[in-house]
Amino acid sequence: MKRFRTAVVGVAAALCLLAAGPAVAAQIEMTMYYPIAVGGKPYELINGLIGEFEAQNPDIKVKAVYYGNYDDTRTKCLAAVKAGEKVQMSVLFSIDIFDLIDADVVMPWEEVVQTDGDQAWLKGFYPALMANSMAGGKTYGIPFQRSTIVMYYNKDAFREAGLDPEKPPATWDELVSMGQKLVKRDAGGQVSRWGLSIPSTGYPYWMFQCLAIQNGMELMNKSGNEVYFNHPDVVAGLQFWHDLAYKHQIMPKGSTDWGTLRQQFLGGATAMMWHTTGNLTPVRDGAKFDFGVAMLPANKRPGSPTGGGNFYVFKNTTPEERAAVLKFVQFMTAPVNSAKWSIGTGYVATTPAAYETDLLKAYVADFPAAVVARDQFEYAVAEFSTHETARVKKFLDDAIQAVLAGNATPQAALDQAQKGADRILKRYQ
């Protein structure tokens, strides 16, 4: 009798399980920190892509936490990680790579990928973008929100000044001579349009890196433990930036704000500006005049640093979460989605495959300026990055600001910056 009752209970339990249907896989919830104080409106596109991904992968939920600039985002993200909050991945500065490795919070993607297809995906990005994505032979960042600095110029202003609108300055000498012709003054002698503007707030080290590269010098070594701030070619680059305002008088003295420069350009306050390609789509949407986009002018050589953000995967994740992160990042960097991202923001599509999509081919055919930043990869170098990057580049930023404000000579300012950086980096040598 007892065995009969046990059997009945067992059958009943089995029937209940059958009635409940097949087991539903537990949903994986992921958190991603993302910077939005950059060009365009990336959060709108990100939200749309997340929606598409979740529709295709109903077992994965992605929560995007948006903050301001890259530094703000890194600070908030690492605070959450240290507090034990679950953060599986984030888009952070590509130049944060050494600091994230030193903090022991991120892991190489070689430990996440599984298949031959995954390996091929990992090797499919532009080599220029991998310079800030790899360290010690391992890949820590997946290029996504990436850029180079380009020159935007007002073709109508060029015509007005008697310049060929299809021939922007290709050298420093041409930049000065054309810039002087483009400066416009009102009846009272006040400047109503500058020839050139280069932002010196926000990311002054990044803009200055252009001048150092063009003068034949990189600011740091590949190991991130040496800098060359007071090298004669670097000093000469900062002298040239200073002279653009004080000697050649083609740009305003003092600081030029990163965040408002695009509107100044669109409002006709400057004929040329150097800025991220991430502003390409907003400039195209906002310009009421004919504008062009060109590579930056050369001195000893052409060049621009790359820039922008990478996907990082955090160590404090389960194998299931890492698999979900991989699936999501592969989705975001898939050729068609990379094409959508580039068109919607102006940032560079990060793989050659994206430029082979019909979507991006058609866009480029209609708007050739969309490939200027990508074509500049041929001359691009890694964005400035060292151990303790924030502290080290603060010395450089302060030197740049002091010189542009007329409060210090390039040599004295950069000598001081070099001493400060050497003191910090000594322990990593």
Side-chain angles (χ1 to χ4, degrees), residues 29 55 60 72 103 152-153 173 180 183 194 199 205 271 292 319 333 349 383:
E29 296 185 356
I60 303 175
D72 296 336
Y152 299 85
Y153 66 100
D173 288 342
Q180 290 172 334
V183 173
W194 290 102
Y205 73 92
T333 58
E383 185 176 358

Side-chain angles (χ1 to χ4, degrees), residues 1 17 19 22 24-25 27 79 146-147 167 187 217 257 263 276 292 376 404 406-407:
M1 187 69 177
L17 287 173
V24 178
Q27 188 176 69
R146 299 299 300 273
S147 60
K167 293 183 178 180
M217 193 65 194
D257 184 63
Q263 291 305 319
T276 172
Q376 201 167 225
L404 295 183
N407 297 328

Side-chain angles (χ1 to χ4, degrees), residues 294-317:
M295 293 187 195
L296 298 181
N299 192 37
K300 293 182 178 179
R301 55 154 291 185
S304 164
T306 59
N310 286 337
F311 276 109
Y312 295 93
V313 57
F314 290 94
K315 277 189 170 183
N316 188 25
T317 50

